[in-house]
Amino acid sequence: MKEYYEEEESFSDEQQLEEMNELMLDAMEFAFPLNFSVFEKGLSEIKGMIHYMDESARKLRILDKGGQLRHLSLKNIKNISKADQ
């Protein structure tokens, strides 16, 4: 019998959250793409540009590399890095 374990959701520390926030603000100001590691029913990677940040709802609108508008909850984002152009 094969057992299946989903990857557990991990929480970022305060310093990592601050670094991710700064990177997001820079990406919006200077219009460069980011790689997002997102936990939604498992870990996935999304590459795209931040279209809009709704701080009150704690959500991002990302225009992914395929031209699709994606809605991401900030609580589901586990890591962010600058993407290659």
Side-chain angles (χ1 to χ4, degrees), residues 1 7-8 19 32 34 41 49 53 58 61 64 66 69 71 73 76 82 84:
M1 180 173 170
E7 185 173 334
E8 285 189 28
E19 290 170 1
F32 59 81
L34 296 172
K41 300 178 185 175
M49 306 271 291
M53 180 188 292
R58 301 196 35 82
R61 291 184 205 151
D64 71 15
L69 191 60
H71 297 262
S73 175
N76 294 338
K82 190 171 179 180
D84 297 328

Side-chain angles (χ1 to χ4, degrees), residues 39-71:
F39 191 87
E40 294 175 325
K41 300 178 185 175
L43 195 62
S44 62
E45 298 288 325
I46 299 170
K47 178 180 179 180
M49 306 271 291
I50 298 176
H51 176 69
Y52 179 75
M53 180 188 292
D54 185 345
E55 291 186 46
S56 63
R58 301 196 35 82
K59 294 188 183 232
L60 291 178
R61 291 184 205 151
I62 306 295
L63 188 60
D64 71 15
K65 64 182 180 180
Q68 296 271 331
L69 191 60
R70 312 265 310 252
H71 297 262

